[in-house]
Amino acid sequence: MNGMDPQTLTELLDVSVLDRLDRIEDLPADELARSSALRKEGYSAEVTAGLLTQAQLRKDAVKKLGPFAEDMLFTRDGLAQATRLPVAAHHARRLLGEGKDTGGDEGADGSADAADSTPTIADLGCGIGADSFAFAGMGAQVTAVDADEVTAAIASFNLRHLANASVEHARAEDIDTSAFDALWFDPARRTVGKGSKSGSTARIFDPEDFSPSLSWVIDKALAAKAAGVKLGPALDHSLIPDEAEAQWVSHLGEVVEVCLYFGEARQRPGRSALVMGERTLLVHEDDLPADDEDGVGELGQYLLEPDGAIVRAGLVTALCGPLQARRVHPKIAYLTTDAEPSGPAAAGVTTYEVADVLPAKIPSLRKALISRGIGSVVIKKRGADIVPDQVRRQLKLPAGDKATLVFTRLGDRHVVLLTQPC
Ligand SMILES: C[S@@+](CC[C@H](N)C(=O)[O-])C[C@H]1O[C@@H](n2cnc3c(N)ncnc32)[C@H](O)[C@@H]1O
């Protein structure tokens, strides 16, 4: 499942091999040349392959974990499933209590008792340790647990500089969770695909097949003082327990998760969306308009594409008030305004200026685009049954200006909005 056997990991963990990994950029960048240089230095074929893989995974991991990645080890699956560091830091803040001084030197009664006030967190299914890294980095005493031997060993390596983190190779189900202040769950939601020879993984759709299963995780989370459960953003809303706060998160424009928070980690019951990027925006179910109106109105000069976390959380209309926006259609997640959005809520949308409304039929659309000198198009769609690449091929546009085409509906009409990103 993790793509590395324990023997290869043991060999990689040798001090001289790790040292070679840290200095691998001294070698030519070309993989073949690098490989033969390592073989000439006396490394076995297995260790050479392991070094090349780790060097590549470290590079890939910088996007998620920043410069810390350059001092870590990975499995391919472990990196794919690892939480991005800014998001993991957000999890840590939630489990530790927002704004609470985790390294504090005063007890609740004002007495000085630093040791007693250090919160303990169990990370039950820690993977390569990205969430644990943030929990421990922010002052918690962390017990990280993983059922996979190689993954647990890698987490141990990755957390080695944090004296307040330890790793256990065990099943979450076998851990006594009652002693911890907070529990963190990120159940495995992928499995090796049927018949896969490459070890490629496939998504698990039934939450009872997650590992640990969702019902076990939720039972434990409900019983905990504080708990967080990271799940895929496509989670069926009906699976969210009434006791939980469900928060969808996007980071730099990509929806990365929905987290269920319980007990003291829950700040506000209900659904919320957190947009993390250059600017941060939090939208909550309580921000939805009180009336039952669908908020649909005339297309204005601007088309707004709400962030995916807001769409997944079902909170698009919560933006209508702050952005003075209306919907283009009751079932389609585009908004429209007469003025370019500004203010904090603008962080929740990507804005396009609408130049024209064009017909959706390909021959008429092609004619309309050519007459306007458009030759290169980015195609977006909502509420339209098209395949963008196929449409681009059918349009066969001669060279010309760039535009964004939005295939959507205005009332009963299928239209194409000719737009430019703002
Ligand atoms: C989605 S990954 C966790 C990623 C981690 N949060 C991170 O940011 O690096 C899930 C992990 O759970 C482990 N796992 C699966 N079933 C488990 C179980 N029953 N008990 C403990 N760990 C388990 C898998 O080996 C995998 O490493």
Side-chain angles (χ1 to χ4, degrees):
M1 171 77 188
N2 63 58
M4 194 195 299
D5 65 86
Q7 180 58 32
T8 306
L9 178 63
T10 307
E11 291 180 35
L12 275 179
L13 286 172
D14 181 276
V15 178
S16 67
V17 177
L18 286 171
D19 176 58
R20 195 66 194 94
L21 178 60
D22 290 341
R23 292 182 296 105
I24 204 147
E25 294 306 324
D26 303 349
L27 295 174
D30 174 73
E31 184 141 331
L32 268 182
R34 196 172 264 195
S35 169
S36 58
L38 287 167
R39 296 287 279 134
K40 269 192 202 133
E41 288 178 24
Y43 294 103
S44 70
E46 290 73 22
V47 171
T48 297
L51 282 169
L52 295 178
T53 305
Q54 288 304 320
Q56 185 57 49
L57 290 175
R58 278 185 171 182
K59 262 195 185 152
D60 297 346
V62 169
K63 281 176 233 140
K64 275 192 166 182
L65 303 170
F68 295 112
E70 286 155 18
D71 190 36
M72 294 170 102
L73 293 177
F74 300 96
T75 61
R76 216 172 280 288
D77 290 340
L79 175 57
Q81 296 169 5
T83 303
R84 300 172 187 207
L85 201 55
V87 181
H90 172 68
H91 298 156
R93 282 191 290 273
R94 294 299 303 258
L95 288 194
L96 294 169
E98 198 105 348
K100 198 164 124 189
D101 180 5
T102 56
D105 53 9
E106 285 191 351
D109 59 357
S111 63
D113 194 354
D116 283 354
S117 68
T118 301
T120 55
I121 299 181
D123 181 357
L124 299 161
C126 66
I128 56 95
D131 279 305
S132 282
F133 193 80
F135 301 155
M138 289 171 73
Q141 183 68 42
V142 178
T143 301
V145 175
D146 204 284
D148 181 75
E149 184 186 3
V150 168
T151 307
I154 286 181
S156 218
F157 178 83
N158 291 341
L159 297 169
R160 69 198 180 285
H161 299 306
L162 294 156
N164 49 334
S166 64
V167 180
E168 284 182 36
H169 169 216
R171 292 173 74 242
E173 295 88 329
D174 297 332
I175 300 292
D176 174 7
T177 52
S178 62
F180 293 94
D181 295 314
L183 304 181
W184 179 252
F185 303 92
D186 183 358
R189 302 182 303 281
R190 300 191 72 82
T191 188
V192 177
K194 274 198 187 111
S196 162
K197 287 185 186 140
S198 61
S200 66
T201 60
R203 191 173 143 202
I204 299 173
F205 288 93
D206 182 350
E208 285 317 292
D209 291 337
F210 294 173
S211 186
S213 73
L214 187 58
S215 56
W216 181 86
V217 165
I218 286 180
D219 278 353
K220 287 285 173 188
L222 284 167
K225 225 158 85 178
V229 181
K230 175 182 159 185
L231 296 165
L235 183 76
D236 179 347
H237 287 208
S238 70
L239 293 172
I240 300 167
D242 291 343
E243 297 86 344
E245 171 186 350
Q247 182 168 78
W248 279 261
V249 178
S250 69
H251 180 247
L252 300 176
E254 204 178 322
V255 192
V256 288
E257 63 183 32
V258 56
C259 265
L260 308 183
Y261 291 105
F262 296 81
E264 289 173 15
R266 184 187 81 161
Q267 286 175 342
R268 256 165 121 186
R271 288 170 285 129
S272 64
L274 178 67
V275 179
M276 297 175 78
E278 276 168 35
R279 289 174 299 164
T280 298
L281 176 69
L282 180 65
V283 181
H284 192 272
E285 199 178 329
D286 294 346
D287 305 328
L288 287 169
D291 53 43
D292 284 342
E293 286 189 17
D294 57 22
V296 175
E298 286 285 296
L299 178 70
Q301 195 182 342
Y302 295 91
L303 183 79
L304 319 182
E305 182 182 24
D307 180 272
I310 298 172
V311 177
R312 288 281 190 190
L315 298 176
V316 169
T317 49
L319 294 175
C320 288
L323 293 175
Q324 296 187 310
R326 42 203 188 264
R327 300 189 80 149
V328 299
H329 186 279
K331 294 206 166 107
I332 295 175
Y334 283 132
L335 299 174
T336 184
T337 52
D338 301 319
E340 192 172 343
S342 59
V349 293
T350 305
T351 303
Y352 300 87
E353 184 163 13
V354 180
D356 224 330
V357 180
L358 304 178
K361 291 243 178 327
I362 298 294
S364 329
L365 177 62
R366 180 169 195 274
K367 228 164 123 187
L369 291 172
I370 291 173
S371 72
R372 286 164 178 79
I374 306 296
S376 155
V377 289
V378 172
I379 297 178
K380 298 189 148 281
K381 60 158 196 155
R382 271 188 188 164
D385 192 14
I386 58 139
V387 180
D389 279 345
Q390 205 175 322
V391 169
R392 198 174 291 104
R393 277 197 301 276
Q394 287 171 332
L395 283 172
K396 274 195 242 121
L397 293 171
D401 296 338
K402 216 172 157 183
T404 300
L405 301 183
V406 182
F407 285 70
T408 190
R409 282 164 64 187
L410 297 178
D412 290 340
R413 274 196 310 150
H414 283 269
V415 295
V416 176
L417 307 179
L418 175 66
T419 73
Q420 290 294 344
C422 290

